[in-house]
Amino acid sequence: MDPEHEQTAAEFLDGQVLIAMPGMEDPRFAKSLVFICAHSDDGAMGLIVNKLVGDLVWEDLFKKIEIPIGSVNAPRPIQFGGPVETERGFVLHSSDYHAEGATLKVDEETSMTATIEILQDIAMARGPDQALLMLGYAGWAPGQLESELQMNGWLLCEPDASLIFGDNQDAKWDLAMSKLGIDPALLGSGGRA
């Protein structure tokens, strides 16, 4: 495949879910699902949707950055979005919420916003219907993700609400594999074909 064709194909990964193969060598990505928010000739950016940041919940962060908590009720966990800029927050959310000049519309169902205003809106029940608050992100240099895909480090899957916004973090990886009709036990621990 010529490089020009490869770069054009890369644009189609926006809004896709990467499923880490069982042999993923980087422990930060073991059994991870990564929702790709942006993918271009310049590289890729995504958010891990099935790992938590310890026991932190939204209210902890809201108190730390002094956002009054209005309608936030049940404790909602904070996600580990990835190993890059782990102090930086991102909200992956349903596309019913949009902040002009601040929201990246990834696909028809999902958007991402990284401003304090979305947190304020969520605290006052003016935010999106579905949302994940994440610290950090996953990033790839130009051509790096394509190389990892060619080396069978990841599988691709179409997203759905249960994979992205579902509550059972431990079951999401298995759910994604079954969505593809794959039994992880058949892949072996090496994960390389």
Side-chain angles (χ1 to χ4, degrees):
M1 183 179 294
D2 68 281
E4 187 175 328
H5 180 71
E6 247 179 76
Q7 291 171 348
T8 302
E11 294 172 3
F12 295 111
L13 294 180
D14 293 42
Q16 295 292 304
V17 174
L18 296 177
I19 306 168
M21 290 290 282
M24 176 61 70
E25 294 175 9
D26 187 334
R28 299 170 299 179
F29 291 102
K31 284 198 161 186
S32 286
L33 297 182
V34 181
F35 182 78
I36 299 296
C37 297
H39 190 185
S40 71
D41 295 342
D42 298 325
M45 182 271 186
L47 296 167
I48 298 173
V49 296
N50 67 325
K51 294 189 182 254
L52 302 178
V53 176
D55 294 330
L56 287 177
V57 294
W58 291 47
E59 292 86 334
D60 296 334
L61 180 65
F62 286 8
K63 287 176 186 172
K64 183 177 180 178
I65 58 178
E66 299 178 0
I67 293 177
I69 300 171
S71 300
V72 176
N73 39 29
R76 297 171 67 184
I78 295 177
Q79 307 281 133
F80 171 69
V84 182
E85 294 187 44
T86 56
E87 296 296 314
R88 187 170 173 198
F90 299 87
V91 179
L92 187 64
H93 56 87
S94 50
S95 59
D96 56 318
Y97 178 92
H98 183 82
E100 193 63 41
T103 297
L104 170 67
K105 183 176 179 179
V106 179
D107 59 27
E108 291 302 314
E109 290 82 33
T110 313
S111 297
M112 181 190 66
T113 306
T115 64
I116 196 137
E117 289 78 19
I118 189 172
L119 299 179
Q120 293 166 335
D121 286 345
I122 288 170
M124 299 309 294
R126 295 186 304 249
D129 286 338
Q130 296 179 304
L132 297 176
L133 175 54
M134 306 170 144
L135 293 177
Y137 68 92
W140 291 266
Q144 183 182 2
L145 179 55
E146 293 84 352
S147 176
E148 290 179 16
L149 286 164
Q150 288 175 348
M151 293 173 42
N152 297 320
W154 301 97
L155 294 171
L156 285 171
C157 171
E158 290 287 328
D160 64 37
S162 61
L163 288 181
I164 307 301
F165 300 111
D167 292 331
N168 190 343
Q169 307 306 314
D170 296 331
K172 285 182 179 183
W173 187 83
D174 289 324
L175 179 63
M177 291 297 250
S178 66
K179 186 175 174 177
L180 293 178
I182 296 174
D183 179 353
L186 299 177
L187 295 174
S189 61
R192 303 278 191 245

